[in-house]
Amino acid sequence: MTDHTTGSVHTEIEQIIAALEHGKYKRVRKMLHQMHHAKIAGLLEVLDPEQRLAVWQQVDSGHEARILAHLNPALGRHLVSESGDHASHQEEEAESEESSAATQIREVRGALAQGKLKRVGKILRDMHPAKAAGLLESLPPKERVAAWGMVEADRAGKVLTYLHGESCAALALEMDHEDLVIAAERLDLDDLVDLIQALPDENGQQLMRATYGRRREKLESMLSYPEDSAGGLMNADQIVVRPDVRLATVLGYLRLIKSLPVQTDMLMVVDRKGIYQGVLRLSALVTAKPEFKVAEVMETELPVIAVTTSSDEVARLFQDHDLLSAPVVDENGLLLGRITVDDVVDLIRESSDRAMMHMAGLDEEADMFAPVLTSSRRRAVWLGINLVTAFLAAWVIGLFQTTLERVVALAVLMPIVASMGGIAGSQTLTLVIRGMALGQVGGSNARALLAKEIGIALLNGLLWAVVVALLAVAWFGDWQIGGVIGAAILINLLFAALAGLVVPMVLDRMGIDPALAGGVILTTVTDVIGFFAFLGLASIVL
Amino acid sequence: MTDHTTGSVHTEIEQIIAALEHGKYKRVRKMLHQMHHAKIAGLLEVLDPEQRLAVWQQVDSGHEARILAHLNPALGRHLVSESGDHASHQEEEAESEESSAATQIREVRGALAQGKLKRVGKILRDMHPAKAAGLLESLPPKERVAAWGMVEADRAGKVLTYLHGESCAALALEMDHEDLVIAAERLDLDDLVDLIQALPDENGQQLMRATYGRRREKLESMLSYPEDSAGGLMNADQIVVRPDVRLATVLGYLRLIKSLPVQTDMLMVVDRKGIYQGVLRLSALVTAKPEFKVAEVMETELPVIAVTTSSDEVARLFQDHDLLSAPVVDENGLLLGRITVDDVVDLIRESSDRAMMHMAGLDEEADMFAPVLTSSRRRAVWLGINLVTAFLAAWVIGLFQTTLERVVALAVLMPIVASMGGIAGSQTLTLVIRGMALGQVGGSNARALLAKEIGIALLNGLLWAVVVALLAVAWFGDWQIGGVIGAAILINLLFAALAGLVVPMVLDRMGIDPALAGGVILTTVTDVIGFFAFLGLASIVL
């Protein structure tokens, strides 16, 4: 070796060691990829055992044999046995697709703990991108970054699209810019739009500037629509045909383009100006006689989605009409793109996730393993809001301190009244929130629903008033306390039913998500009314 | 008129009046359908004004003119103007598809209140069955039955499939048996299976016995699988082809059968014995050269669903692989049917509905307008369970009665400790329940998640301990109370985080839905620990 080469190896060693220390496995792999096998073997011999194993983990399995040929045989055997990749081959086979998510998580965490990154890479490579994304989100941050390093750049884009907002942005930013651009190039436009929207503004812009020509144009137009509108959901990969051509011609054209975009169940029919005319289902195309014209077999009844339609409305249309895809048009009827059911499925899952998470004051895009400080800050807001309402309830109790001093049994029983009201109210609240989401609860039937809920509150209020009163009498041997708590429970359940219906409806009208704020306001109402009724009645009666 | 005829008219009048009184509009319409126009005119003239209008509402619009021809002209004009159907024609046009669900509910309720049943029928007829089902569920029971009477028998089946379990069964039982059979005949097999499963056993059996031949066989085989398995979801309407035929032959065959079942995006490829070989996508069929054989262009990589697969797993497969449909096979690989994405979409919506409803102790199949007594009984169970836990918390408070007697401020502040713990705990609980549903939380990463949640609880506990302590000191001017409540809040938040993670995981291992029982158990823990820590510390310190 000349001095020059040796110098170069040293520099590369330094670079590789630095990359290893920062967990930038992708960079290590890329550097190894550009080196000659013999050079890698030399590098491995120079490194200390731990670094050697770490570098070996990044070697492509296809290149292993060639590198081993240049390597000190003892060292080679040692590496092969240490890395444990081949030894456990059979074991891996047994798991494969069938193994449950929990097993896979355990597997990956075990491999990470032992530094067997190749193993991690193999597991992730064998998984569907959606599963891989789920698995990555199940890992604590450091392990997640390490595992992410083992995802090939050409698959990384697809995996990113299955991640939730926060983890998606974090992992995308872990990648080298050029790798991210490569990953982005392989994405469908609608997935790319999601990715850009998940990233911080600056990085999103960078990614957009890396696209060219027609793709850039389409991308810019798609990004100009709000994320939660038909425009943000659509893809511009539709195949269009003219109404006046024969089906035989269409078939000829399709055989020419050789493959259709995924999730294509219909072609779009447009006129010369691109104005939407109807759709030609593939099922019509294959069943109708080839001499028919498109206009004769196309369907014109299909719901057409305006680009400004809200994503909730889009989801409802797909569900109601059992659509697989639908055309999106602008205000002039110009066909802009299509929405496919796979995106709608994600939308539906997300929107119900959102309702559930919002009810606990959580954000559905947040990373389960976000840094403790970030999560704490987010949740602190919710606890702070709750504290205000808790002090309100405490203040009500404070009004009756003298009564409490006289009869301490009241302090013991007090939480029961508040708790029963809270539970009853949250049942009504949940029913109404869900009904509103289905579009089944509104101003027009609110009164009928209120009558029903009040009826239920009355029956259950009477039932539990008697039960609690008897229990209280048995406990404290005081009939008056029993009467007071019974009355308070009945009152609280009635108000709980009223609040459970009115609170979400008012919030909805104010444009506030009832799932987010409804629960807090409801329990405030039931706490305040429960304590007020119970202690107020007690201070009069006792 | 002969006596005989008159007698017959009387009988019919009596029958019609009886049917009207019971709200059996469908029967009225059927009887009118079988009568001669002149006879109906005669009948109308005999009835008193109110009954006359009610009967008129049931006359087919197509037959109105002919009946009017036989009717006393003054009476005719009166009926036409009274029924108000034509007068408001323009108004109706304006609403049409665009009008919001709320407007339609108001519209239908208004028309029902005025007895304008034809109007109701027209509105429902113009709606998609899914929308009509949603509208029916939004109506209180009596109005619902009246509106249901106006749904044509041939559309009724489709509407039934969009209703939730309880309302579906109730409305199906409102129908005459023969109408129900007609409605059922027009249903796809998978929808019919759902309907039969929603009905009481006996009625379901009746409906099954009304099918014949191949359909009956398929139906029985589908009903033999559990409702929440792939077998319960599948439909047996797939088109099958052999692997060794040319695409041109397939196209010829398809042109012969003229139309494909809805939601067909692929044909199934089976061998002579019906064993699944692969799928032939329509998109491959239209893009490949017709001289290719099916085996050359068929796809074999597609996930194949075993008939015993759980519906949750089916939903995950569809989501992960963006499927539009998928083959269902038995243990020997025999093709049994296919599952289509529209059913999966319903499944996903239902399963997330279920989580949300279960968290409030509600049943997602229950009718929003179920009779008050039924609803009360159901919810009473949940309130009863909650009462036990509330008494547990009260019992803890009772342990410290002497302390409470000495320092009544404790009673005032006590709910704050419990409430903060409950909120913090439910945040962790919701995160974990959702993570478990996504398959992202399990034994393998529980410890990492626990460490993170404890970290958050520590930070937020310290923050809010200080804030609440300062507020308590400011309120009661007692530093010791401040110290006690601060310490209690910190302790409760730590235990809340622990319980939020452990409770759902233990419930899940025990086979209990964590969404159903998790919240109640969690708040019991945070109440008991909150009161115990706060009052216990106070009894030592104060």
Side-chain angles (χ1 to χ4, degrees):
Chain A
M1 278 184 211
T2 66
D3 259 346
H4 173 75
T5 325
T6 321
S8 158
V9 168
H10 273 300
T11 320
E12 272 167 345
I13 291 182
E14 278 163 18
Q15 281 181 0
I16 286 180
I17 292 177
L20 277 176
E21 275 168 3
H22 290 89
K24 301 277 188 196
Y25 298 113
K26 278 214 174 88
R27 187 168 302 158
V28 175
R29 262 210 313 288
K30 205 190 293 174
M31 286 165 68
L32 289 176
H33 210 76
Q34 288 157 3
M35 283 165 81
H36 187 268
H37 304 118
K39 209 165 174 183
I40 297 177
L43 173 73
L44 286 168
E45 289 179 359
V46 174
L47 290 169
D48 68 45
E50 204 174 306
Q51 289 173 331
R52 186 185 301 145
L53 192 60
V55 169
W56 182 247
Q57 296 290 341
Q58 303 303 327
V59 171
D60 258 20
S61 355
H63 296 170
E64 279 178 11
R66 293 205 218 160
I67 295 171
L68 285 174
H70 293 273
L71 204 63
N72 172 325
L75 209 60
R77 276 194 300 277
H78 183 68
L79 271 182
V80 170
S81 70
E82 263 294 278
S83 72
D85 193 42
H86 300 276
S88 58
H89 198 69
Q90 224 164 0
E91 204 182 312
E92 277 171 43
E93 291 297 306
E95 300 143 14
S96 76
E97 278 263 27
E98 302 305 318
S99 67
S100 74
T103 321
Q104 285 171 327
I105 297 173
R106 195 171 306 121
E107 179 86 8
V108 167
R109 293 197 72 200
L112 284 170
Q114 296 167 43
K116 296 183 180 171
L117 286 167
K118 262 192 194 161
R119 186 84 179 277
V120 176
K122 186 172 183 332
I123 298 174
L124 287 169
R125 196 160 47 239
D126 291 345
M127 288 170 106
H128 189 274
K131 282 245 159 112
L135 192 143
L136 286 168
E137 287 192 337
S138 316
L139 297 175
K142 274 192 191 168
E143 298 176 20
R144 187 187 295 168
V145 171
W148 177 240
M150 298 309 297
V151 176
E152 311 295 326
D154 54 348
R155 285 187 90 223
K158 206 66 201 163
V159 174
L160 282 176
T161 61
Y162 286 102
L163 291 163
H164 287 93
E166 199 169 287
S167 9
C168 171
L171 289 185
L173 297 183
E174 277 290 324
M175 296 172 78
D176 284 346
H177 179 66
E178 42 191 311
D179 282 343
L180 187 55
V181 169
I182 293 171
E185 273 169 11
R186 302 183 176 241
L187 289 178
D188 287 343
L189 271 179
D190 57 341
D191 289 335
L192 181 54
V193 167
D194 290 345
L195 178 59
I196 290 176
Q197 280 165 339
L199 290 176
D201 267 358
E202 197 196 333
N203 307 74
Q205 289 292 326
Q206 275 183 4
L207 213 50
M208 202 189 66
R209 280 195 295 270
T211 59
Y212 296 97
R214 187 90 185 86
R215 189 167 159 92
R216 168 76 164 273
E217 259 171 52
K218 281 187 184 172
L219 188 62
E220 276 179 351
S221 110
M222 284 166 75
L223 278 166
S224 68
Y225 301 107
E227 208 175 333
D228 59 347
S229 72
L233 281 169
M234 73 178 180
N235 206 339
D237 61 356
Q238 70 278 6
I239 306 273
V240 298
V241 293
R242 292 279 157 75
D244 52 358
V245 297
R246 293 192 192 285
L247 295 188
T249 319
V250 173
L251 279 169
Y253 167 62
L254 295 181
R255 279 169 197 148
L256 217 69
I257 60 175
K258 285 206 177 99
S259 84
L260 299 181
V262 284
Q263 310 262 347
T264 297
D265 66 315
M266 49 175 69
L267 313 178
M268 304 289 164
V269 186
V270 296
D271 68 8
R272 253 160 227 290
K273 288 176 183 156
I275 302 293
Y276 172 81
Q277 305 290 319
V279 299
L280 174 63
R281 286 186 194 272
L282 293 186
S283 58
L285 180 60
V286 295
T287 48
K289 293 209 182 100
E291 49 285 10
F292 276 121
K293 283 193 172 167
V294 169
E296 289 172 286
V297 293
M298 76 179 182
E299 213 170 296
T300 53
E301 303 279 273
L302 203 80
V304 178
I305 295 174
V307 70
T308 50
T309 311
S310 77
S311 52
D312 282 348
E313 184 60 28
V314 170
R316 214 168 291 145
L317 274 172
F318 266 76
Q319 276 185 88
D320 286 355
H321 297 266
D322 292 344
L323 300 175
L324 297 182
S325 66
V328 178
V329 299
D330 73 2
E331 66 274 25
N332 302 318
L334 190 73
L335 180 71
L336 297 176
R338 63 181 189 128
I339 295 179
T340 51
V341 71
D342 57 322
D343 294 322
V344 174
V345 169
D346 294 343
L347 201 67
I348 290 171
R349 164 105 329 154
E350 276 163 27
S351 91
S352 44
D353 259 16
R354 197 182 304 134
M356 186 172 151
M357 298 292 269
H358 278 189
M359 280 181 120
L362 298 168
D363 176 359
E364 84 282 5
E365 288 292 342
D367 177 2
M368 190 166 67
F369 282 109
V372 171
L373 203 65
T374 316
S375 301
S376 301
R377 208 168 40 223
R378 279 186 199 136
R379 296 205 207 159
V381 178
W382 196 244
L383 286 164
I385 293 168
N386 179 63
L387 188 65
V388 175
T389 76
F391 262 97
L392 198 65
W395 172 75
V396 173
I397 303 173
L399 296 178
F400 300 99
Q401 280 193 56
T402 47
T403 317
L404 279 169
E405 265 166 22
R406 271 195 295 127
V407 197
V408 78
L410 296 177
V412 176
L413 295 171
M414 190 169 78
I416 295 176
V417 180
S419 153
M420 293 297 275
I423 293 286
S426 76
Q427 293 191 318
T428 307
L429 179 76
T430 305
L431 197 78
V432 172
I433 288 179
R434 187 237 201 171
M436 294 198 318
L438 295 177
Q440 289 182 356
V441 172
S444 48
N445 61 354
R447 202 176 296 171
L449 195 56
L450 182 63
K452 191 212 150 197
E453 290 296 316
I454 292 285
I456 296 173
L458 205 61
L459 283 183
N460 265 321
L462 286 172
L463 170 66
W464 295 111
V466 171
V467 171
V468 174
L470 290 178
L471 288 171
V473 171
W475 190 350
F476 292 100
D478 184 334
W479 283 96
Q480 283 180 313
I481 288 186
V484 166
I485 198 170
I489 282 191
L490 181 56
I491 292 171
N492 205 16
L493 256 61
L494 289 173
F495 275 95
L498 185 67
L501 185 71
V502 172
V503 166
M505 293 188 67
V506 169
L507 285 174
D508 191 50
R509 197 154 298 174
M510 289 165 68
I512 302 172
D513 177 6
L516 185 59
V520 176
I521 298 179
L522 179 89
T523 48
T524 309
V525 171
T526 53
D527 279 1
V528 166
I529 290 188
F531 292 138
F532 201 86
F534 182 50
L535 299 176
L537 282 174
S539 70
I540 298 166
V541 174
L542 300 180
Chain B
M1 276 188 215
T2 65
D3 259 349
H4 172 75
T5 325
T6 320
S8 159
V9 168
H10 273 301
T11 321
E12 272 167 344
I13 289 182
E14 278 161 17
Q15 282 181 358
I16 287 180
I17 291 176
L20 276 176
E21 274 169 3
H22 290 91
K24 301 275 185 194
Y25 298 114
K26 279 217 173 88
R27 187 169 302 159
V28 176
R29 262 210 313 285
K30 207 191 290 175
M31 288 165 68
L32 290 175
H33 212 75
Q34 288 155 3
M35 286 167 77
H36 189 267
H37 305 120
K39 207 165 173 184
I40 298 176
L43 173 73
L44 285 168
E45 287 178 0
V46 174
L47 291 169
D48 68 40
E50 206 174 303
Q51 291 171 328
R52 183 186 302 142
L53 194 57
V55 170
W56 181 247
Q57 296 290 342
Q58 303 304 329
V59 170
D60 257 20
S61 354
H63 297 169
E64 280 180 11
R66 295 205 217 158
I67 296 170
L68 286 173
H70 293 273
L71 204 64
N72 170 325
L75 208 57
R77 274 195 302 277
H78 183 66
L79 270 180
V80 170
S81 70
E82 264 293 278
S83 71
D85 193 42
H86 301 277
S88 57
H89 199 69
Q90 224 165 359
E91 205 181 309
E92 278 170 42
E93 291 296 309
E95 298 145 14
S96 75
E97 278 262 30
E98 302 305 318
S99 69
S100 75
T103 322
Q104 284 171 328
I105 297 171
R106 193 171 306 121
E107 179 84 7
V108 167
R109 297 199 70 199
L112 285 169
Q114 295 167 46
K116 295 183 179 171
L117 285 169
K118 262 193 196 163
R119 187 82 178 277
V120 176
K122 186 173 183 332
I123 297 176
L124 286 170
R125 197 160 46 243
D126 291 345
M127 285 170 109
H128 188 274
K131 281 247 157 106
L135 192 144
L136 285 168
E137 288 193 336
S138 316
L139 297 175
K142 276 192 190 168
E143 298 176 21
R144 188 187 294 171
V145 172
W148 178 240
M150 298 310 295
V151 177
E152 310 296 328
D154 53 350
R155 283 188 90 223
K158 204 67 201 159
V159 174
L160 282 176
T161 62
Y162 287 102
L163 290 164
H164 286 94
E166 197 169 291
S167 9
C168 171
L171 289 186
L173 298 180
E174 276 292 325
M175 296 172 76
D176 285 346
H177 179 65
E178 43 190 311
D179 281 345
L180 187 56
V181 169
I182 294 172
E185 272 168 12
R186 302 184 176 242
L187 288 180
D188 287 341
L189 271 179
D190 59 339
D191 289 336
L192 180 53
V193 167
D194 290 345
L195 177 59
I196 289 177
Q197 280 163 340
L199 289 177
D201 265 359
E202 195 196 335
N203 306 74
Q205 289 291 327
Q206 276 184 5
L207 213 51
M208 202 188 66
R209 281 195 295 272
T211 59
Y212 296 98
R214 186 90 186 88
R215 190 170 159 92
R216 168 76 163 274
E217 260 171 52
K218 280 187 186 176
L219 189 61
E220 278 180 349
S221 111
M222 284 166 76
L223 277 167
S224 67
Y225 301 107
E227 206 174 336
D228 59 349
S229 72
L233 280 169
M234 72 178 181
N235 205 339
D237 61 355
Q238 70 278 5
I239 306 272
V240 296
V241 292
R242 292 278 158 77
D244 52 358
V245 297
R246 293 191 193 284
L247 297 187
T249 319
V250 174
L251 280 169
Y253 167 63
L254 296 180
R255 278 170 198 145
L256 217 69
I257 61 176
K258 285 207 179 97
S259 83
L260 299 183
V262 284
Q263 309 262 350
T264 297
D265 66 315
M266 49 174 70
L267 313 180
M268 304 289 164
V269 186
V270 296
D271 67 10
R272 254 159 225 293
K273 290 176 180 155
I275 303 292
Y276 171 81
Q277 304 291 316
V279 300
L280 175 63
R281 287 185 192 276
L282 293 187
S283 58
L285 180 60
V286 296
T287 49
K289 292 206 183 104
E291 51 283 11
F292 275 121
K293 284 193 172 167
V294 168
E296 291 173 287
V297 295
M298 76 181 182
E299 211 171 300
T300 53
E301 305 280 273
L302 204 79
V304 179
I305 296 174
V307 72
T308 51
T309 311
S310 77
S311 53
D312 282 347
E313 184 58 29
V314 171
R316 215 167 293 143
L317 273 172
F318 267 77
Q319 276 183 86
D320 286 356
H321 298 265
D322 291 346
L323 301 174
L324 298 181
S325 66
V328 179
V329 298
D330 72 4
E331 67 272 27
N332 302 318
L334 191 74
L335 182 71
L336 297 176
R338 62 178 191 131
I339 296 179
T340 49
V341 71
D342 56 323
D343 295 322
V344 175
V345 168
D346 294 345
L347 201 68
I348 291 172
R349 161 105 332 147
E350 277 163 25
S351 91
S352 44
D353 259 16
R354 195 181 308 135
M356 188 171 150
M357 298 292 269
H358 278 190
M359 280 182 119
L362 298 167
D363 176 1
E364 86 282 3
E365 288 292 340
D367 178 2
M368 190 165 68
F369 282 108
V372 171
L373 205 62
T374 316
S375 300
S376 300
R377 208 168 39 224
R378 278 186 200 138
R379 295 204 209 161
V381 178
W382 196 241
L383 287 165
I385 293 170
N386 180 63
L387 189 64
V388 176
T389 78
F391 262 96
L392 198 65
W395 171 74
V396 173
I397 303 173
L399 296 179
F400 300 98
Q401 282 193 53
T402 47
T403 316
L404 280 169
E405 264 166 23
R406 272 194 295 129
V407 196
V408 78
L410 296 176
V412 176
L413 294 172
M414 191 167 76
I416 294 175
V417 180
S419 151
M420 293 297 275
I423 293 285
S426 77
Q427 292 193 316
T428 306
L429 179 76
T430 306
L431 198 75
V432 171
I433 289 178
R434 187 238 201 173
M436 291 193 326
L438 295 178
Q440 291 184 352
V441 173
S444 48
N445 60 355
R447 200 175 296 170
L449 195 57
L450 181 63
K452 191 210 150 193
E453 290 297 316
I454 293 286
I456 296 172
L458 205 62
L459 283 183
N460 265 322
L462 286 171
L463 171 67
W464 296 109
V466 171
V467 171
V468 174
L470 290 177
L471 288 170
V473 172
W475 190 351
F476 293 99
D478 185 333
W479 283 95
Q480 283 180 313
I481 290 187
V484 168
I485 198 169
I489 282 192
L490 180 57
I491 291 170
N492 205 16
L493 256 61
L494 288 174
F495 276 94
L498 184 67
L501 184 70
V502 172
V503 167
M505 292 188 68
V506 171
L507 287 173
D508 190 50
R509 199 154 297 177
M510 290 165 66
I512 303 170
D513 178 4
L516 185 59
V520 177
I521 297 179
L522 180 90
T523 48
T524 310
V525 172
T526 52
D527 279 3
V528 166
I529 290 190
F531 292 138
F532 201 86
F534 182 50
L535 299 176
L537 281 175
S539 68
I540 297 168
V541 175
L542 300 178

